[in-house]
Amino acid sequence: MVLSYLRKKHQKTLIQIYQHPISANIKWRDIEALFIELGAEIQEREGSRIAVILFDQVKVFHRPHPNPTTDKGAVISVKKWLFENGVIPYA
């Protein structure tokens, strides 16, 4: 599913997620905002964990701290999950 209807900000985040080599400069709040734009529900969990409910699935992620940028491993996990569910940036 190519998501041409996303707002420019979220489309930019999606492109950053799919960038090669993997970007180390994606702010986690931008990824969360993308999830919400896609229809996700975010639930707070213990510590810095959050549950993202999207695609009839629940994925648990750790919010980065104290640095607001997302580590490459988390970006890879997000990219894989989005790709498996057909979310890709438009060209």
Side-chain angles (χ1 to χ4, degrees):
M1 146 184 20
V2 178
L3 299 173
S4 59
Y5 66 85
L6 288 176
R7 283 186 255 160
K8 194 173 224 175
K9 173 185 176 184
H10 302 301
Q11 189 63 238
K12 180 182 173 192
T13 302
L14 189 59
I15 289 167
Q16 283 182 302
I17 290 169
Y18 275 86
Q19 202 172 330
H20 185 76
I22 300 296
S23 175
N25 294 319
I26 304 173
K27 297 209 179 317
W28 179 255
R29 71 173 181 257
D30 293 340
I31 292 176
E32 275 192 49
L34 173 63
F35 287 152
I36 291 167
E37 180 76 4
L38 293 171
E41 178 185 338
I42 309 279
Q43 295 179 347
E44 301 292 327
R45 297 283 173 101
E46 276 189 48
S48 62
R49 287 185 288 253
I50 60 164
V52 180
I53 304 161
L54 184 62
F55 313 121
D56 294 324
Q57 300 170 13
V58 178
K59 292 285 183 183
V60 176
F61 295 99
H62 290 262
R63 282 190 178 121
H65 58 83
N67 193 340
T69 56
T70 310
D71 68 64
K72 291 181 180 186
V75 174
I76 290 168
S77 293
V78 168
K79 177 182 175 180
K80 182 177 183 234
W81 189 38
L82 293 174
F83 182 78
E84 287 171 351
N85 287 281
V87 179
I88 58 172
Y90 71 93

